[in-house]
Amino acid sequence: MRLTPRVLCSAVRAAWRESFPLGGRDVARWFPGHMAKGLKKMQSSLRLVDCVIEVHDARIPLSGRNPLFQETLGIKPHLLVLNKMDLADLKEQQKIIQHLEGQGLKNVIFTNCVKDENIKQVIPAVTELVRSSYRYHRGESVELCIMVIGVPNVGKSSLINSLRRQHLRKGKATRVGGEPGITRAVMSRIQVCERPLMFLLDTPGVLAPRIESVETGLKLALCGTVLDHLVGEETLADYLLYTLNRHQLFGYVQHYGLGEACDDVASVLKRVAVRLGKTRRVKVLTGTGSVNVLQPDYSAAAHDLLRTFRRGLLGPVMLDRDVLQGAPR
């Protein structure tokens, strides 16, 4: 986003944080243990499946994917769909693809399920993957059955609904939402195409039991894969501010009319709260007793900042820029 000369000058002069304090954060507490049950159910349904579509968030294309998917479901043909491409800065898309190819992921499609962008590529890609692979005991079946997997809240259900709109001209078959945990169980088959006859299995989001690093956990949380209160909205807002400033993305300054960029989260949240009129009444003890005073509501400001980011109103972002910069050219 374009900034005024005054804001730009102050942003250039500012010394942004070189690192984010990650110590003392219990990542394991953020991710529920019941997800192992979902993975077992997927594994038991695998004999009914011809291909696996893994959906992931395009803002974190190189981190946060569940490695157990490849270990337990890897015997089937695999398509990686990087969804929410409209929210991602994809200037280095080719480098992302090369990095994924180096990990053995040769079938990758970027999509935006809200506007059905690139959705028409999915069915032909799946059909070709199945055609060129051995179907084991499903060889005699005319219909294709595809399992849709991924971590929570990356758009698995949205993909199914988008495919139905494109190929069947029908509405929603599965519920979608902006927070993790909408799909709770491996569902019955949902038809998405007539020719070829294709059914999809929607599955609950499953996170890895061990997250590779605290920073990966924060990236996942920023993208909404876990409930915000488990991490803390103000912690997430601070990590978002750190990321935006490091990437020279100052859209938040203009969006909230802050005047200039800043790297201190308390100062930013205070100004956001004042701008939005978000206050709360607190009791303050004085020499003559307690009085009620109005203070900026930092929690409400953090909530609004995160919601605004997730809606794409602060501009596209690539949260895995650090991983891309460290990748071989």
Side-chain angles (χ1 to χ4, degrees):
M1 290 188 180
R2 293 178 64 84
L3 294 176
T4 62
R6 174 172 168 252
V7 175
L8 204 51
C9 288
S10 68
V12 170
R13 287 198 307 268
W16 308 121
R17 287 173 284 179
E18 291 296 318
S19 62
F20 188 81
L22 302 172
R25 303 186 192 278
D26 183 9
V27 188
R29 190 178 59 83
W30 301 348
F31 304 102
H34 71 266
M35 292 185 177
K37 186 178 176 184
L39 192 61
K40 282 183 181 176
K41 283 188 177 179
M42 289 181 218
Q43 210 170 0
S44 66
S45 302
L46 209 54
R47 60 186 177 80
L48 307 171
V49 169
D50 296 299
C51 180
V52 171
I53 296 177
E54 180 184 354
V55 185
H56 198 59
D57 195 306
R59 292 169 292 183
I60 46 171
L62 307 179
S63 60
R65 291 173 50 238
N66 191 336
L68 293 181
F69 288 150
Q70 197 61 30
E71 292 173 24
T72 58
L73 310 175
I75 61 171
K76 297 290 182 177
H78 181 278
L79 172 67
L80 177 62
V81 170
L82 291 171
N83 191 35
K84 306 187 183 183
M85 62 181 283
D86 53 311
L87 304 179
D89 179 355
L90 296 177
K91 286 196 284 284
E92 295 191 272
Q93 182 171 335
Q94 201 53 45
K95 192 171 181 182
I96 293 169
I97 291 171
Q98 289 170 357
H99 195 284
L100 291 168
E101 283 178 347
Q103 297 177 344
L105 290 158
K106 304 197 182 297
N107 305 293
V108 181
I109 297 175
F110 289 82
T111 64
N112 169 10
C113 291
V114 175
K115 295 189 175 178
D116 295 340
E117 285 183 76
N118 295 345
I119 294 301
K120 286 188 176 177
Q121 297 178 27
V122 174
I123 297 289
V126 168
T127 305
E128 178 57 27
L129 276 170
V130 175
R131 189 193 64 78
S132 58
S133 65
Y134 184 58
R135 293 184 72 194
Y136 299 96
H137 59 281
R138 286 188 53 78
E140 294 180 6
S141 179
V142 176
E143 65 189 40
L144 302 181
C145 185
I146 315 301
M147 182 181 285
V148 182
I149 63 172
V151 299
N153 202 28
V154 289
K156 297 181 293 297
S157 298
S158 295
L159 174 66
I160 291 174
N161 292 331
S162 183
L163 286 167
R164 283 173 61 83
R165 282 195 301 271
Q166 287 288 307
H167 297 282
L168 296 178
R169 299 288 184 262
K170 291 187 178 178
K172 291 181 181 180
T174 182
R175 187 179 162 211
V176 298
E179 61 181 44
I182 293 297
T183 304
R184 297 273 180 187
V186 179
M187 294 177 60
S188 57
R189 303 184 315 159
I190 302 165
Q191 185 178 353
V192 293
C193 190
E194 193 72 50
R195 294 182 180 178
L197 183 56
M198 186 177 295
F199 295 85
L200 264 59
L201 285 176
D202 195 10
T203 64
V206 178
L207 287 153
R210 290 184 63 83
I211 302 302
E212 57 196 84
S213 69
V214 175
E215 186 146 25
T216 296
L218 287 167
K219 289 178 185 179
L220 283 163
L222 261 190
C223 292
T225 61
V226 291
L227 296 170
D228 289 341
H229 74 269
L230 295 174
V231 184
E233 286 185 324
E234 290 179 43
T235 297
L236 279 177
D238 192 18
Y239 182 70
L240 174 60
L241 182 67
Y242 158 77
T243 301
L244 294 175
N245 286 335
R246 287 266 291 168
H247 293 182
Q248 301 281 298
L249 299 172
F250 305 114
Y252 70 93
V253 179
Q254 280 195 320
H255 182 82
Y256 289 107
L258 300 184
E260 62 180 11
C262 177
D263 212 22
D264 177 62
V265 71
S267 176
V268 169
L269 292 181
K270 181 178 181 180
R271 284 186 278 169
V272 168
V274 170
R275 185 80 180 178
L276 297 175
K278 300 288 187 182
T279 57
R280 60 193 182 108
R281 200 175 296 275
V282 296
K283 276 188 177 181
V284 177
L285 289 173
T286 67
T288 56
S290 64
V291 293
N292 289 325
V293 298
L294 288 177
Q295 287 188 350
D297 192 333
Y298 290 87
S299 295
H303 177 81
D304 193 85
L305 182 63
L306 292 172
R307 187 185 62 174
T308 302
F309 163 72
R310 288 168 182 159
R311 290 171 62 196
L313 299 178
L314 303 183
V317 66
M318 175 49 59
L319 295 174
D320 273 344
R321 185 183 288 187
D322 55 334
V323 185
L324 277 173
Q325 288 173 343
R329 295 189 179 276

